[in-house]
Amino acid sequence: MSEKNREGKHTAREKLAVEREKQKSADKRRRALIVAGAVVAVLGLAAVIGVVAANAGKDDDSEASGPVVAPSGAQGKDSLAIPVGKDSARSTLTVWEDFRCPACKSFETAYRPVIHELTNAGQLKTEYHLVTLIDGNMRGTGSRNAANAAACAQDAGKFPAYHDVLFGNQPSEVDDAFADNAKLIELAGKVDGLDTPAFRACVEKGTHNGWVAKSHQAFNKGGFSGTPTVLFDGKNIYQDRTMTPAKLKQMVQEANKE
């Protein structure tokens, strides 16, 4: 092999080595960029997840810092209960309800006739506590807005009838129809004498939103498992699988004999 050929091959090997080094450097830079990009992406995702986590399970609690205006005639601790019936009744039924809650509607459908009968007879007093559980679980403001409207109806002395209308016209759980104040005012037309300028202003201004928020806070502090929560003279009867409207009626009547 001539000296010229040897020099040519040597030069070629040197060029190849240089190219390999360049390729290694390029690969190293590319890997560094990929890693850096991945870090940025992860940090970005973490930031997004942090925002989502920070807001998960929250409904619009801005009203909680507003004034707590209890509806007319509200009773109990912090005036969080809307009473229906005579104070002289020997038995008290305490009901925690959410107007968007399907189970609450089922309870109302089954027990309402008996509750009305016993309340009208002066044998039972029912205390309603309004909750916004579905707003937190499904998102929206329908539970809160409906509860505020019901409190506005209490101001007008029309709570029992409007309460029943709301459950009678309850949308599906995923449909936040009660978030629309116009819908709540429309339903008020089903209750004689309720749809007044004062009621409309109360609904549209969210007069009792702070009170509703405080009621929901009391529900959370009470350690209840869900809605409806129904207590008869302090005992949770909704968890009693043997409970029926007839059994509830018997319990009330027996209490009134004592």
Side-chain angles (χ1 to χ4, degrees), residues 28-40:
K28 186 180 292 185
R29 286 195 299 272
R30 186 168 61 252
R31 285 195 297 271
L33 289 173
I34 291 173
V35 170
V39 170
V40 171

Side-chain angles (χ1 to χ4, degrees), residues 91-112:
S91 297
T92 300
L93 193 70
T94 303
V95 183
W96 295 83
E97 290 183 318
D98 184 326
F99 286 111
R100 289 180 68 186
C101 164
C104 296
K105 180 178 180 178
S106 296
F107 167 77
E108 285 293 332
T109 300
Y111 283 82
R112 181 184 298 149

Side-chain angles (χ1 to χ4, degrees), residues 65-142:
S65 60
V68 177
V69 181
S72 176
Q75 298 180 351
K77 183 180 179 181
D78 296 326
S79 298
L80 295 178
I82 295 180
V84 176
K86 297 179 180 179
D87 289 335
S88 59
R90 291 191 177 184
S91 297
T92 300
L93 193 70
T94 303
V95 183
W96 295 83
E97 290 183 318
D98 184 326
F99 286 111
R100 289 180 68 186
C101 164
C104 296
K105 180 178 180 178
S106 296
F107 167 77
E108 285 293 332
T109 300
Y111 283 82
R112 181 184 298 149
V114 167
I115 292 174
H116 281 338
E117 177 187 347
L118 297 171
T119 300
N120 293 336
Q123 297 181 349
L124 179 69
K125 176 184 177 182
T126 306
E127 296 180 342
Y128 291 95
H129 295 260
L130 308 183
V131 180
T132 60
L133 193 64
I134 305 300
D135 282 357
N137 292 341
M138 304 297 294
R139 311 302 296 169
T141 59

